[in-house]
Amino acid sequence: MLTRPDRLKDHQRERVEAARTACHEMTALADLIHHFVVLLDPADGNATLLSTWITSAQAEDLPHLHAFTRGLEKDRAAVDAAPTLPHHNGGTEGVNNKTKLIKRQMYGRASFPPLRHRILLG
């Protein structure tokens, strides 16, 4: 459901359509997800669109989605910055992920100096 409809393969599209026709809640959830995915591409008007999306999500009878929207409202400044600004911390997260991977691979094999050497040279 998180994939854009134009990128779905035929068998995936069939499964999504089967889920949507199964019940009203699934149809509402799929529509809300598709509208939310559009907000993930940074653009200037996304903060307003996000407010509209939150209002429509709270109008549906989906309790787990209500919890998600309450979480969005708690730190609204950061949430508004994410879909409107082109900046992100992807590079930092990538380095952290790589460091943790190397640490897991080296666990129990060597002491700190070889681990440090592998991180710095890797």
Side-chain angles (χ1 to χ4, degrees), residues 1-72:
M1 286 199 174
L2 295 178
T3 305
R4 294 179 189 214
D6 58 332
R7 294 185 182 168
L8 288 173
K9 296 179 178 133
D10 289 335
H11 72 279
Q12 293 170 327
R13 189 173 293 114
E14 291 171 7
R15 292 183 77 184
V16 169
E17 287 305 316
R20 289 182 75 150
T21 56
C23 63
H24 167 72
E25 289 84 7
M26 213 41 157
T27 303
L29 180 63
D31 290 340
L32 287 168
I33 288 172
H34 284 65
H35 288 107
F36 186 78
V37 168
V38 172
L39 298 174
L40 297 179
D41 290 330
D44 288 334
N46 279 355
T48 306
L49 293 174
L50 181 63
S51 295
T52 306
W53 184 87
I54 289 173
T55 304
S56 61
Q58 290 172 341
E60 294 293 336
D61 186 26
L62 301 167
H64 295 296
L65 201 57
H66 293 178
F68 176 67
T69 58
R70 282 192 302 273
L72 292 177

Side-chain angles (χ1 to χ4, degrees), residues 39-46 78-91:
L39 298 174
L40 297 179
D41 290 330
D44 288 334
N46 279 355
V79 171
D80 283 344
T84 56
L85 299 176
H87 311 292
H88 56 82
N89 63 345

Side-chain angles (χ1 to χ4, degrees), residues 79-113:
V79 171
D80 283 344
T84 56
L85 299 176
H87 311 292
H88 56 82
N89 63 345
T92 304
E93 292 298 326
V95 170
N96 288 343
N97 189 32
K98 183 178 178 183
T99 303
K100 288 179 181 183
L101 174 71
I102 292 171
K103 184 179 84 169
R104 284 190 296 269
Q105 289 174 341
M106 296 287 290
Y107 180 77
R109 294 189 178 156
S111 59
F112 180 72

